[in-house]
Amino acid sequence: MNYRGPYKVRADKNAPYPEILHPEDAIVRVVRSCICGSDLHLYHGLVPDTRVGTTFGHEFIGVVEDIGSEVTEVKVGDRVMVPFNISCGKCAFCRQELYGNCHESNPQATAVGGIFGYSHTAGGFQGGQAEYVRVPYANVGPTVIPEWMDPDDAVLLTDVVPTGYQAAEMGGIQPGDTVVVFGAGPIGIMAAKSAWLFGAGRVIVIDQLDYRLEFVKNYANAEVYNFRELEDPVVFLKQTTDSLGADVCIDAVGCEAEGNKMNYILGTKLVMQGGATTALHWAINSVKKGGIVSIVGVYGPIDALVPIGNVVNKGITIRANQAAPKRLLPRLIEHVKNGIINPKELITHRIPLEEVAEGYRIFSGKLDNCIKPVLIPPSAGM
Ligand SMILES: NC(=O)c1ccc[n+]([C@@H]2O[C@H](COP(=O)([O-])OP(=O)(O)OC[C@H]3O[C@@H](n4cnc5c(N)ncnc54)[C@H](O)[C@@H]3O)[C@@H](O)[C@H]2O)c1
Ligand SMILES: [Zn+2]
Ligand SMILES: [Zn+2]
């Protein structure tokens, strides 16, 4: 996959084979990769320093093809899932299991750590929407896929499942809590599903796409509302929670939120703020006093308009981060094994890697009832 500029990607059949550049590198032959909502921010030209020629893709699994001399945790032939963040495993932040905030994998930046295929803002690494990918710090990220696990489940454990789960975890959900999830994309769907695992008593999902709302209603047993049909989502959410507001609100939308034209234009067309903040506005304004807002939606590095006065005056706690799949994988593998989470049910499209441009077109346009597209390289073999 090769980025040529906003809304332009193509399959590059002459891309060079990646090389081992460091003794802790591995080369992985990719067998599945996904397109993520985060890739759409790149595709739409909203992430600073996204260079022409970059290969996107931070959700992938594959087979270890080659290893550097200091790789001890995986061997050639292992089937591995590779968390989306690149982490050294040793810095002050990795030691706190803040694997999304590694200080070594993206030393140019003060916020996010390295991420596969996510622009030079996130370290300039090539991604996994490819046949082969270089995996740095191969003793840290790659996790051997259990024999019994379906590769379609495994690929969703590299991002979607842990991110949705962490969104719910950061919400600090107490038994019986009302949880509102903004966004019924793969991340919001998984956040809604996970909210029950933390003891939620009521799970509400807000989006504008009926087919996604219908899916999450069935998949995660959620109450669903289309914000296009509500006069004011905040007033509605207050009314349905005894005028108190939700206990926990989750922003699983991020910087391309719709629902407020001015905010959308400022955030995505003029890029005068670090994204359209409408979902975050709604989350802050519809959570109860003393409630928690959990943000996994992605925003850019520049300032953005948020109702900070309401955060202070309502005593809201905001928790946010890039997810840390590595920290959560042991628990989530068990949940998949026990049938508590069935990730592969989210996959609606299987697209040959050569047709990656079509994959982006469908997922970006929310066409053909798309929820999660998976790209299959010609060399997948499984
Ligand atoms: N923090 C992390 O680690 C992490 C990991 C993966 C994805 N993300 C981010 O999570 C977000 C969601 O990802 P996804 O793959 O589900 O994306 P997606 O584009 O498939 O889904 C986003 C959904 O939000 C809906 N939406 C738009 N405006 C809304 C609003 N105001 N209120 C409610 N819903 C609204 C859209 O209709 C769409 O269904 C993205 O910003 C992505 O970058 C973060
Ligand atoms: Zn992602
Ligand atoms: Zn680190």
Side-chain angles (χ1 to χ4, degrees):
M1 177 275 179
N2 192 303
Y3 175 69
R4 306 310 303 164
Y7 292 88
K8 274 188 232 132
V9 303
R10 69 178 183 216
D12 175 4
K13 297 201 173 142
N14 300 311
Y17 182 86
E19 285 171 38
I20 297 220
L21 303 177
H22 184 280
E24 285 178 72
D25 285 354
I27 303 297
V28 168
R29 174 170 62 81
V30 178
V31 301
R32 297 275 189 288
S33 64
C34 297
I35 307 177
C36 178
S38 301
D39 293 324
L40 297 180
H41 310 322
L42 296 168
Y43 179 64
H44 298 154
L46 292 172
V47 180
D49 209 1
T50 305
R51 299 188 192 170
V52 165
T54 301
T55 296
F56 301 165
H58 55 268
E59 301 178 68
F60 60 92
I61 61 165
V63 180
V64 178
E65 190 82 4
D66 198 2
I67 53 173
S69 58
E70 289 175 19
V71 174
T72 53
E73 299 303 302
V74 289
K75 55 184 191 313
V76 171
D78 280 350
R79 295 185 332 141
V80 291
M81 41 192 160
V82 182
F84 71 86
N85 15 49
I86 301 175
S87 335
C88 76
K90 295 187 185 122
C91 71
F93 303 107
C94 285
R95 285 205 306 273
Q96 290 178 63
E97 298 191 303
L98 292 168
Y99 296 109
N101 314 97
C102 175
H103 214 49
E104 295 296 323
S105 60
N106 187 17
Q108 313 295 348
T110 51
V112 75
I115 300 177
F116 288 98
Y118 212 73
S119 83
H120 279 67
T121 305
F125 297 93
Q126 293 291 64
Q129 290 166 8
E131 289 184 280
Y132 295 91
V133 58
R134 170 184 162 243
V135 174
Y137 304 110
N139 289 324
V140 182
T143 302
V144 174
I145 301 172
E147 274 299 312
W148 50 264
M149 188 179 280
D150 188 318
D152 288 346
D153 284 327
V155 73
L156 294 182
L157 283 173
T158 64
D159 182 347
V160 170
V161 183
T163 301
Y165 187 88
Q166 184 167 325
E169 184 191 48
M170 290 192 300
I173 298 167
Q174 300 296 313
D177 271 0
T178 295
V179 179
V180 177
V181 179
F182 293 91
I187 304 300
I189 292 167
M190 225 24 107
K193 181 87 180 169
S194 302
W196 297 112
L197 304 180
F198 289 92
R202 187 176 176 198
V203 178
I204 298 171
V205 180
I206 307 284
D207 201 299
Q208 58 184 340
L209 300 172
D210 285 329
Y211 78 89
R212 288 185 167 198
L213 290 171
E214 191 59 29
F215 181 89
V216 69
K217 185 164 121 189
N218 297 321
Y219 182 80
N221 195 21
E223 232 177 278
V224 299
Y225 299 98
N226 187 326
F227 69 74
R228 297 277 173 204
E229 290 161 14
L230 302 171
E231 197 177 334
D232 181 334
V234 173
V235 171
F236 172 78
L237 288 166
K238 287 271 181 63
Q239 280 167 349
T240 184
T241 51
D242 294 333
S243 303
L244 296 176
D247 299 292
V248 176
C249 283
I250 295 173
D251 173 355
V253 179
C255 60
E256 296 185 63
E258 295 182 53
N260 178 312
K261 273 214 174 69
M262 188 197 73
N263 212 327
Y264 187 76
I265 291 168
L266 280 180
T268 68
K269 301 296 173 209
L270 304 175
V271 200
M272 289 173 72
Q273 57 169 346
T277 52
T278 304
L280 183 52
H281 264 259
W282 292 347
I284 289 170
N285 289 340
S286 51
V287 80
K288 70 177 184 188
K289 295 175 191 173
I292 300 181
V293 171
S294 163
I295 312 172
V296 285
V298 158
Y299 292 92
I302 60 170
D303 294 358
L305 293 166
V306 287
I308 193 67
N310 293 354
V311 174
V312 176
N313 294 329
K314 289 171 74 174
I316 294 168
T317 299
I318 294 190
R319 299 194 64 201
N321 208 347
Q322 295 286 340
K326 182 179 162 62
R327 174 175 67 80
L328 295 166
L329 272 179
R331 207 180 309 174
L332 295 174
I333 288 171
E334 281 305 299
H335 283 340
V336 173
K337 190 175 185 182
N338 297 330
I340 291 169
I341 301 177
N342 301 304
K344 63 173 178 287
E345 288 179 27
L346 270 63
I347 297 173
T348 49
H349 290 70
R350 309 173 75 79
I351 298 165
L353 180 60
E354 304 93 303
E355 292 166 29
V356 61
E358 182 63 3
Y360 271 85
R361 195 183 69 84
I362 292 171
F363 186 53
S364 168
K366 316 292 190 230
L367 307 175
D368 197 25
N369 289 352
C370 186
I371 291 177
K372 190 72 181 172
V374 172
L375 301 167
I376 319 269
S379 52
M382 78 186 228

